[in-house]
Amino acid sequence: MSEISLYIGLLSLVLHLPVAVHGVDHYSRTDFPADFVFGSGTSAYQYEGAASEDGRSPSIWDTFAHSGHTNGANGDIACDGYHKYKDDIQLMVETNLEAFRISISWSRLIPNGRGPINQKGLHYYNNLIDELISCGIQPHVTLNHIDLPQALEDEYGGWLSRKILKDFTAYADVCFREFGDRVLYWTTVNEANIFAVGGYDQGIIAPGRCSDRTRCSWGNSSNETYIAGHNILLAHAAVVRLYRAKYQAIQKGYVGFNIYTMWFEPYTNATEDLIATQRANDFFIGWLIDPLIFGDYPETVKKNAQTRIPTFTKLESEQIKGSVDFIGVNHYTTAFVKDNPSILEADNGGFSADLAAQIIEQQGDTPQDQYPVLPSGLYGVLEYLKQVYGNQPVYIHENGQMTRRNGTLNDTPRVEYFQAYIGSLLDALRNGSNVKGYFAWTFLDGLELLDGYGTSFGFYYVDLDDKDLRRYQKLSARWYASFLKGKTRSNSITEVGKGTSVPLRYQFIQ
Ligand SMILES: *[C@@H]1O[C@H](CO)[C@@H](O)[C@H](O)[C@H]1NC(C)=O
Ligand SMILES: *[C@@H]1O[C@H](CO)[C@@H](O)[C@H](O)[C@H]1NC(C)=O
Ligand SMILES: *[C@@H]1O[C@H](CO)[C@@H](O)[C@H](O)[C@H]1NC(C)=O
Ligand SMILES: *[C@@H]1O[C@H](CO)[C@@H](O)[C@H](O)[C@H]1NC(C)=O
Ligand SMILES: *[C@@H]1O[C@H](CO)[C@@H](O)[C@H](O)[C@H]1NC(C)=O
C-alpha cells in the first residue's frame, strides 16, 4: 500500500546520512528453504477497477478517493484487473512468481456488507483464484484492505461500532466457505495499525476522520483510533475462532494479521531517546500485536492513552491471545525517534500525541520520491518480532521501492532496493527468524494509497494514457524473474507451525 510514512503532524525532517547497506551481497533462490515462498501482490481497490460494474457497491476507499483525496485519483479503473487478470497472471508466470497476494473487495462479493452474495463477484474471485492455481501460483488472500463497504460505514460507523464483528465474521465465513478449499493463507486486516491511525487520528486515508476540522469534516482523534483498533482486534479474533472451529481441520489453512512497521533508531543515545524508541515500537507494533500474543495492550500505550483506549474483558483477552497463525509485516523504511514529551499535553491529543515522540524519517541523499536503501531495518524488524514475540511465523507481505510513475523502465533504484532487502531477509533467516515468505510490493503500478498515480512501486508500468492500459516490463521484473528462475513452482505447502521459544517481552532494546 505504501508511502504512508508521511505522518502529518508526526514528522518530518530530512537528514543527510551515509546510506548503510547491510545484508548478504551474493545469494540465490536456493539459499532460501524450498518451502519459503517468494511472490508479489496487490489489493482489490488498487488493482481491479470496474468499481461500479457487475453489482459492486462503493467502499469507504471509493468515497474517500472521490472526495478529492488520494492525490485527486481514484480506483474506478485502476489497472482494470477485473478484466485483465488472465493476462496479468501470464506476466506473473514470466516473472517466476511462486505466490501472489490479493485482497477481496467485500463490497464486490457482498454489496451491502451483509446479505446476499453477488454471484458475479463470486465468479470473479473463483476465476482469479483458479487461474493463479492453474499457473502454479499460490494465492494468499487478505479479507480487508482499507475497503470496508460504505453501506456499513453509513449504517453504524464501520469499525467504530461493535456491530462490525458480526458482519465481518459473516463475510469471512462466505470467503472461507467459497474459496477456502483452494486458499490456505488468509489475512484478516491489512496494515491495521496504519488504517486506524491514518483513518481516525490523521484523516489521511479512508474513512478520513480526525479532530482537526480544517482537514476532516468528522471524527475525534482522541479516542476513535483506539476504538477502531480495538474492534479490529475483536473482529479478527472472532474470524479466527470461526476458522478454527469450522474450517481449519478440513481446509488446513492459516489465518494471520498484518501491520505496517518501520525500523526505529534512537535520534541520539540520550536515555530519553532510547526509551522513546521502545515506546515507538510499543505504539506501532505492540499496540495491536501484544494483544494477539500476550492478551493485552502494552503498559506504555495504556498509560498514555488512559481512558481513551478501551479495555478487554477477561474473556476477550483470552479469545484474542494466541489468535494468529502468523504475523504479516509490511516494511519500507527506517526512522529516527526523538523524545517529545510536550505533545503528550496537546488538547484533543490522540495516538500521535500519546506517542510523545517525533518520528524522523531517514532519507540521506536519496531523492524525495524514493526510499533510502536501509535493509538493516528489515533485519531489525524481523529480529525484534523474533525476540519479543517468541518467534511466531512471519510473512513479509509488502516491501518495495517507490519511484515516480511513468519514469524510466530502467528502474535500477528498485533493483538495488530488492537486492539489498532480500539479502537482509536471508541474514535474518540465517539468524533464526521464523520468516516464511516475501511478497514484493507491487506487481503492477496501481493506485497508491496517498499519492494516487503520482508514484509507483510496480514491476510493470501500466500506461494510463493508453485505452488498453498496456503493461510494460521494468528492469526490476527481469531481476526478480532471474532471481526466482529455476525454482519449480510446485504448489508445495508451507507449514506455518507455532514459534517454539517462550515469548519474552522487551528483550531487544535495553
Ligand atoms: C473527543 O473525545 C474526547 C474523549 O475521548 C472528549 O473529551 C472530546 O470532547 C471529544 N471531542 C469532540 C470534538 O467531540
Ligand atoms: C469518543 O469520546 C466522545 C466524548 O466522550 C464520545 O462522545 C464518543 O462517542 C467517543 N467515540 C466513540 C467512537 O465511542
Ligand atoms: C549510539 O551509540 C552506538 C554504540 O556506541 C553508536 O554506534 C551510535 O552511533 C550512537 N548513536 C548516536 C546517534 O550517536
Ligand atoms: C507518461 O509519459 C508520456 C511520455 O513522456 C507522456 O506523454 C504522458 O503524458 C505521461 N502520462 C502520465 C499519466 O503521466
Ligand atoms: C541472532 O539471534 C540471537 C538469538 O535470538 C540473538 O541473541 C542475537 O542478537 C542475534 N544476532 C544479531 C546480529 O541480531
Side-chain angles (χ1 to χ4, degrees):
M1 92 176 189
S2 279
E3 68 289 3
I4 183 75
S5 33
L6 305 157
Y7 294 107
I8 295 168
L10 273 176
L11 280 191
S12 119
L13 192 152
V14 177
L15 291 182
H16 290 273
L17 292 169
V19 171
V21 180
H22 284 245
V24 204
D25 289 334
H26 296 98
Y27 56 83
S28 71
R29 175 64 182 88
T30 53
D31 289 315
F32 292 83
D35 70 349
F36 189 96
V37 289
F38 279 99
S40 182
T42 188
S43 84
Y45 192 63
Q46 295 172 281
Y47 170 68
E48 289 175 3
S52 47
E53 226 177 292
D54 286 350
R56 182 184 180 274
S57 73
S59 73
I60 57 172
W61 199 345
D62 294 67
T63 307
F64 191 67
H66 277 277
S67 58
H69 298 90
T70 323
N71 201 10
N74 63 62
D76 286 359
I77 300 172
C79 305
D80 196 27
Y82 187 71
H83 298 110
K84 298 189 188 309
Y85 70 93
K86 277 198 180 176
D87 292 341
D88 291 337
I89 292 172
Q90 277 316 301
L91 299 178
M92 293 175 203
V93 170
E94 285 171 31
T95 315
N96 296 319
L97 299 191
E98 299 158 15
F100 195 67
R101 177 174 173 256
I102 59 170
S103 75
I104 290 175
S105 161
W106 181 349
S107 63
R108 190 185 294 290
L109 189 63
I110 306 175
N112 292 316
R114 85 169 77 82
I117 296 174
N118 172 20
Q119 291 303 320
K120 288 183 171 163
L122 181 64
H123 193 62
Y124 169 69
Y125 290 112
N126 269 324
N127 288 345
L128 175 62
I129 290 164
D130 285 347
E131 187 72 14
L132 286 167
I133 288 173
S134 73
C135 290
I137 299 171
Q138 188 182 75
H140 288 235
V141 177
T142 300
L143 294 174
N144 190 253
H145 197 117
I146 321 180
D147 53 354
L148 185 83
Q150 184 65 41
L152 301 183
E153 187 74 18
D154 294 343
E155 186 185 322
Y156 54 70
W159 294 104
L160 290 178
S161 166
R162 288 227 175 193
K163 291 183 179 161
I164 194 69
L165 270 66
K166 192 166 172 237
D167 287 332
F168 189 56
T169 310
Y171 158 59
D173 198 8
V174 170
C175 294
F176 297 149
R177 186 182 76 218
E178 300 293 338
F179 312 124
D181 57 334
R182 288 152 292 155
V183 174
L184 295 179
Y185 305 93
W186 296 96
T187 300
T188 52
V189 181
N190 176 70
E191 284 188 13
N193 53 348
I194 290 304
F195 169 70
V197 173
Y200 299 88
D201 182 52
Q202 299 173 353
I204 54 170
I205 59 176
R209 298 176 66 90
C210 67
S211 292
D212 181 350
R213 288 290 168 266
T214 63
R215 285 188 294 113
C216 301
S217 323
W218 38 60
N220 185 340
S221 301
S222 81
N223 55 352
E224 289 188 1
T225 309
Y226 297 116
I227 292 163
H230 196 75
N231 289 332
I232 287 172
L233 286 171
L234 294 172
H236 162 86
V239 165
V240 171
R241 268 201 313 286
L242 168 80
Y243 190 76
R244 289 181 179 169
K246 193 167 162 188
Y247 297 101
Q248 200 158 34
I250 305 153
Q251 298 183 346
K252 306 202 184 319
Y254 306 94
V255 187
F257 186 82
N258 175 285
I259 57 161
Y260 173 91
T261 63
M262 273 194 267
W263 177 241
F264 293 121
E265 287 171 355
Y267 187 67
T268 71
N269 278 326
T271 308
E272 312 83 84
D273 286 345
L274 297 177
I275 293 170
T277 302
Q278 179 60 60
R279 194 162 62 241
N281 282 320
D282 290 346
F283 272 79
F284 280 85
I285 296 178
W287 169 37
L288 298 182
I289 300 300
D290 272 26
L292 296 172
I293 309 298
F294 306 119
D296 198 8
Y297 295 119
E299 289 304 324
T300 43
V301 174
K302 290 197 287 188
K303 178 163 171 270
N304 291 7
Q306 300 178 3
T307 56
R308 294 171 289 105
I309 190 165
T311 50
F312 296 112
T313 64
K314 194 162 175 291
L315 176 65
E316 287 166 351
S317 166
E318 284 164 12
Q319 288 174 334
I320 288 176
K321 186 176 174 175
S323 69
V324 276
D325 295 323
F326 63 84
I327 299 169
V329 167
N330 296 356
H331 178 82
Y332 293 91
T333 197
T334 292
F336 286 118
V337 181
K338 192 171 187 300
D339 186 45
N340 188 4
S342 65
I343 57 173
L344 191 53
E345 317 303 325
D347 286 344
N348 246 327
F351 182 95
S352 305
D354 295 337
L355 179 57
Q358 200 186 353
I359 306 293
I360 303 159
E361 266 190 80
Q362 299 189 17
Q363 191 68 28
D365 296 330
T366 314
Q368 269 306 301
D369 48 21
Q370 284 174 30
Y371 288 120
V373 179
L374 299 167
S376 53
L378 180 62
Y379 183 90
V381 166
L382 287 169
E383 270 295 320
Y384 185 86
L385 292 173
K386 182 184 93 176
Q387 296 187 26
V388 175
Y389 297 109
N391 214 5
Q392 303 295 317
V394 171
Y395 281 89
I396 304 300
H397 274 156
E398 294 182 19
N399 175 242
Q401 176 62 292
M402 171 166 68
T403 55
R404 290 311 299 167
R405 199 192 166 91
N406 201 11
T408 173
L409 295 176
N410 197 19
D411 59 341
T412 47
R414 183 163 292 107
V415 173
E416 284 163 10
Y417 185 99
F418 282 134
Q419 169 85 40
Y421 277 76
I422 293 172
S424 199
L425 174 72
L426 182 57
D427 279 347
L429 195 69
R430 285 181 170 161
N431 199 44
S433 165
N434 198 7
V435 58
K436 299 285 184 186
Y438 176 92
F439 294 80
W441 186 262
T442 173
F443 193 64
L444 300 178
D445 288 349
L447 178 79
E448 278 304 325
L449 185 62
L450 296 180
D451 201 27
Y453 299 109
T455 48
S456 69
F457 288 75
F459 285 127
Y460 281 80
Y461 167 58
V462 177
D463 185 357
L464 299 176
D465 296 326
D466 172 10
K467 69 171 174 34
D468 293 325
L469 300 175
R470 229 182 111 179
R471 280 73 161 130
Y472 294 86
Q473 190 185 51
K474 299 183 197 175
L475 180 67
S476 54
R478 293 208 298 280
W479 180 84
Y480 203 47
S482 99
F483 166 58
L484 297 180
K485 200 172 165 188
K487 156 82 178 164
T488 41
R489 289 190 312 278
S490 62
N491 256 337
S492 74
I493 305 303
T494 308
E495 293 284 340
V496 188
K498 290 281 176 217
T500 44
S501 48
V502 180
L504 295 171
R505 290 178 81 123
Y506 314 139
Q507 284 266 298
F508 198 67
I509 294 174
Q510 309 244 305

